[in-house]
Structure formats: C-alpha cells, structure tokens
Amino acid sequence: MHIYGVNMHIVAAQSRAGRALLGWSQTALAEAAGVNKRTVMDFESGAREPHLGTLSLVRSALEGAGVEFIGGGAYQGEGGPGVRLKGGV
C-alpha cells in the first residue's frame, strides 16, 4: 500500500520487533490499533495476511507510540525491513 509515495506495508517481523521495542503484548497492540487480538496473532505468526487497511492501523499504532519503520532497501545502504525507536522516545 502506498500513500503519497510512502510504502505503508509492513511485515510480521516488523510488528513483532516494534512490539518488543515498546514492551507491548499482542493484546496491547491490538487494543492500540483497534483490531482483534487474533488478527495480530495470525499476522505475526504468518497464518494470514490482513487487509491493507488493517496493516495500516497496526503500523499507525506502533508509529504513534514511537516506532519508526525502516523499509527494505528504500534508502541507500539499508538491508531488509526493520524498525527502530524514534529519536527522543
């Protein structure tokens, strides 16, 4: 999914890593994103790929809490997709 030229798609590993950085459970992420816990569990385990709108909600919840997404190869010198905490968080 692209919004204004920015890739809004995230992968399961980014979701798991983002939660780890924040110390969030799957339940906490589901509540913050306004989605069902089963959706987060299935996405992160690879059981199914949620709708793009759902992925956007998950990403927005993590970003709102201070997680910054690093796109795989979107910037010169990057490896695969990842996450980090925004500066000052």
Side-chain angles (χ1 to χ4, degrees):
M1 171 184 210
H2 288 79
I3 298 178
Y4 304 112
V6 176
N7 184 358
M8 296 299 291
H9 184 76
I10 65 171
V11 297
Q14 287 175 302
S15 181
R16 290 189 305 269
R19 282 192 310 99
L21 287 172
L22 297 171
W24 281 9
S25 64
Q26 288 179 328
T27 300
L29 175 55
E31 289 173 359
V35 301
N36 189 288
K37 179 183 175 185
R38 173 56 58 189
T39 299
V40 174
M41 291 172 60
D42 287 351
F43 170 53
E44 289 187 351
S45 72
R48 69 181 176 93
E49 183 76 14
H51 296 284
L52 292 178
T54 302
L55 288 176
S56 180
L57 291 171
V58 169
R59 181 183 177 125
S60 292
L62 291 166
E63 286 178 327
V67 172
E68 183 176 7
F69 288 83
I70 304 165
Y75 302 100
Q76 197 168 13
E78 280 189 9
V83 295
R84 63 181 169 216
L85 288 177
K86 293 179 185 174
V89 175

